[in-house]
Amino acid sequence: MSSGRCLACGSADLAPLRAYRSESPAGKRLFSGQLCRCEACSLVQLSPVPSDDELGRYYARDYRSGGRYGGNAADLANFPRDNLFFFNRGEAVADLLVKHLGDRSPSRILDVGAGFGHILHRLGERFPGAALHAHELSEPCVAHLRGIGVAVHDGALAEVVSKAGPFDIVVLSHVLEHLRDPVGVLRLLGGNLSAGGLLSVEVPHVPADTLLSWDDSPWAPRHDEPHLTFFGAPELRSLLERSGFDIRFLETAGPSWRRVSRLRYHLPPLMPTLRRAIPEGLQRALRRRSAGAVDPAATRWPAFHAYGGHRIWLRAIATFTGDAGARPR
């Protein structure tokens, strides 16, 4: 464990907010600190922070164990509509990237923390000549990605980008908030973008004030695990600029947050509760039936493509200049 300094700006001035909320037995053992707000750059973060080795073991073995985080829905036979949540989020991220690419056709694409490959798949459909690369540590995801024909790298990220880059697109979807050194990773990736290449970032939209209130959504978790950092739009902008990026687009995205009472917030969330009540075999049968019977156009969820207001995610598109903004580390 390490503690005492901001993960973004290096300041030692961290003010405690509340205890960290873990969900899994492994998470309760690993993420045992507090949420703190940096008084210098305002980023909320876990302190103390687990080591790289501890986090690596957690993501490789524990993160998706027991079917968590989409592991129980991954199905090569029905991919990419095996998990309509990931399918729609992947569609929305890819659509935004295509909009900002203009007439440019990328030849090399890297998805860091690619999960089960829904974003890469959609980008591959839009750019069939592009080489698709994934960096992934989770063992179930590595096997799945290889099953859909993606080049998977599970070694050190610095080695991967030096050998396989430069890239025209780098995707960080729900990865930045998991990193112990977000500035270092962003600078590494930026330095391995081709001229004019695009970085796509999506993170949970969790401004500091919401961590002390009761915002709810059926599409977002109520626990903190396993995130190390928590972003509002100003904090994400500051981090990207500090890391040498010029921001072309940054906006809230996806379904809206809904503020509820403390009592309602602490009642069991409806969708996960219903899912737990349905036997796993029946869940898989229903997924197979819906994947085969539904018109593909009907699987598009408009809320995942919506922007502005108090929404559950932040999406950004940026280019790398190398000129670090704000306060240097």
Side-chain angles (χ1 to χ4, degrees):
M1 296 278 186
S2 63
S3 63
R5 293 201 170 269
C6 175
L7 298 177
C9 73
S11 170
D13 197 0
L14 301 179
L17 286 181
R18 64 162 170 79
Y20 191 89
R21 298 170 183 160
S22 291
E23 177 206 19
S24 71
K28 289 173 183 175
R29 292 190 298 270
L30 184 59
F31 305 102
S32 56
Q34 288 187 306
L35 291 186
C36 298
R37 186 175 185 269
C38 176
E39 297 293 349
C41 72
S42 78
L43 182 67
V44 175
Q45 57 208 271
L46 169 64
S47 182
V49 179
S51 70
D52 283 330
D53 286 344
E54 290 172 320
L55 289 170
R57 288 192 294 270
Y58 169 84
Y59 286 115
R61 298 196 303 255
D62 299 315
Y63 180 48
R64 297 188 193 270
S65 64
R68 296 166 68 244
Y69 302 110
N72 63 341
D75 182 357
L76 288 172
N78 292 311
F79 183 84
R81 291 178 176 81
D82 51 343
N83 186 316
L84 291 181
F85 175 90
F86 289 149
F87 172 78
N88 276 273
R89 201 168 69 184
E91 291 268 300
V93 169
D95 286 354
L96 183 64
L97 267 167
V98 169
K99 178 181 177 181
H100 285 271
L101 279 167
D103 295 332
R104 182 173 180 175
S105 183
S107 60
R108 302 178 73 79
I109 300 171
L110 172 66
D111 191 343
V112 179
F116 294 103
H118 291 79
I119 296 175
L120 275 178
H121 172 80
R122 182 55 175 156
L123 289 171
E125 286 186 328
R126 301 296 292 265
F127 305 107
L132 306 180
H133 295 263
H135 183 263
E136 181 56 64
L137 299 178
S138 171
E139 293 169 1
C141 291
V142 169
H144 185 91
L145 287 163
R146 287 177 175 151
I148 62 172
V150 171
V152 185
H153 310 274
D154 56 3
L157 182 59
E159 271 184 50
V160 171
V161 295
S162 67
K163 291 179 180 178
F167 299 96
D168 301 308
I169 293 175
V170 172
V171 176
L172 279 176
S173 179
H174 294 265
V175 170
L176 193 61
E177 67 272 18
H178 298 252
L179 301 177
R180 292 180 79 250
D181 182 15
V183 172
V185 171
L186 285 169
R187 287 177 177 166
L188 170 68
L189 295 173
N192 287 276
L193 276 171
S194 61
L198 297 183
L199 172 75
S200 169
V201 174
E202 182 173 293
V203 297
H205 178 219
V206 192
D209 65 304
T210 67
L211 291 164
L212 299 174
S213 60
W214 314 109
D215 279 7
D216 195 27
S217 168
W219 303 111
R222 293 176 176 177
H223 50 271
D224 304 318
E225 180 188 343
H227 300 163
L228 304 183
T229 47
F230 300 80
F231 293 94
E235 290 75 31
L236 181 57
R237 177 175 295 277
S238 174
L239 182 66
L240 290 171
E241 290 176 347
R242 184 187 305 280
S243 305
F245 284 88
D246 178 43
I247 298 169
R248 292 191 176 184
F249 177 90
L250 196 162
E251 187 56 271
T252 58
S256 295
W257 283 115
R258 182 169 61 98
R259 187 142 297 180
V260 298
S261 69
R262 177 178 179 140
L263 174 63
R264 177 66 189 87
Y265 187 88
H266 285 94
L267 290 174
L270 181 59
M271 288 179 63
T273 302
L274 288 174
R275 282 196 295 268
R276 283 194 293 270
I278 300 174
E280 180 60 29
L282 179 56
Q283 289 188 44
R284 287 191 174 275
L286 290 172
R287 288 191 197 103
R288 285 194 297 270
R289 181 176 178 182
S290 63
V294 175
D295 177 355
T299 64
R300 180 183 173 95
W301 296 348
F304 281 49
H305 299 256
Y307 293 92
H310 190 39
R311 299 184 181 275
I312 66 173
W313 302 317
L314 289 166
R315 285 192 192 127
I317 302 292
T319 56
F320 189 64
T321 66
D323 300 323
R327 187 184 295 104
R329 293 194 70 172

